[in-house]
Amino acid sequence: MSMWSTPERPEPPNNPSDERAALEDRLEYQRTTLLQKCGGLTPEQLTLRSVPPSKLSLLGLVRHLSGVEAWFHAYDGQPDHLYFWNYVPGSPNSFDVVDSARAADDLASYQASVTRSREAVAGLGLDEASPGEDYTLRWIYLHMIEEYARHNGHADLLRERIDGATGE
C-alpha cells in the first residue's frame, strides 16, 4: 500500500427525514472525515507522532476508532475481536503502538468494524437498550458522534503537522 485513498464525503441533509436518519448521517460524516484526514498519505506518514510526549498518530486514531465501534457490536450477539487494533493480544495500547507495515490491515480492520456496526443495529429502534447495559442505541449514536468529532479535531492537527493540509 503506497498511499491511502481519499473518499468522497457528502454533506448530511439540512432537513433529515427523522431522528435516526440524522444520527446516522452525522456519524457517517464523521467517519468519512477521519478517512479524509488520512487520505493521500503514505503508511509512514500515518504513523508520524504529533508532539512529545504525545504518542498520537493518524494510524493510532484509526486503530482506536476501530475498537470504539464495538459499542454497536454488542447488539449482534457475536463475540468481539481485536480488529488488529492491538497488535499484541490483551494490550490496551491502540494509540501508542503503530506499524506502517500494518497500515493496510488497520484500514481493512476499521472498515470491517464500521460495516459490522451498521449491520448490528440495522432496523433497531433508538430506545433499544444495549445488551447488559443501561444505555440506549440513541445514546451510543450521540456518544460516537462526539467521540469521532473529538478525534477528528486531533486528526486535523496531526495532518497539518504532516503536510500543512488543513480544514475539512
Side-chain angles (χ1 to χ4, degrees), residues 72-139:
F72 291 114
H73 302 173
Y75 286 95
D76 69 12
Q78 300 299 312
D80 216 3
H81 62 82
L82 298 177
Y83 283 105
F84 303 111
W85 62 289
N86 286 323
Y87 299 142
V88 178
S91 173
N93 59 357
S94 59
F95 280 126
D96 298 349
V97 179
V98 292
D99 180 353
S100 61
R102 305 251 342 228
D105 289 339
D106 289 335
L107 176 59
S109 297
Y110 173 76
Q111 291 169 329
S113 189
V114 168
T115 297
R116 180 175 173 187
S117 293
R118 290 183 191 118
E119 292 170 355
V121 300
L124 296 178
L126 293 175
D127 293 324
E128 182 86 25
S130 181
E133 302 292 343
D134 62 353
Y135 41 79
T136 64
L137 183 56
R138 177 182 291 104
W139 183 89

Side-chain angles (χ1 to χ4, degrees), residues 4 33-34 36-39 41-42 45-50 55-65 94-95 98 106 151-152 154-160 162-163:
W4 277 22
T33 297
L34 175 67
Q36 282 190 326
K37 295 296 176 187
C38 298
L41 296 177
T42 66
Q45 288 173 308
L46 292 167
T47 63
L48 293 175
R49 308 297 184 167
S50 57
K55 295 181 180 176
L56 197 60
S57 68
L58 287 169
L59 191 57
L61 286 174
V62 169
R63 294 174 64 235
H64 171 69
L65 288 163
S94 59
F95 280 126
V98 292
D106 289 335
H151 290 312
N152 282 337
H154 299 140
D156 196 38
L157 295 171
L158 285 160
R159 181 62 188 253
E160 183 177 10
I162 292 168
D163 67 358

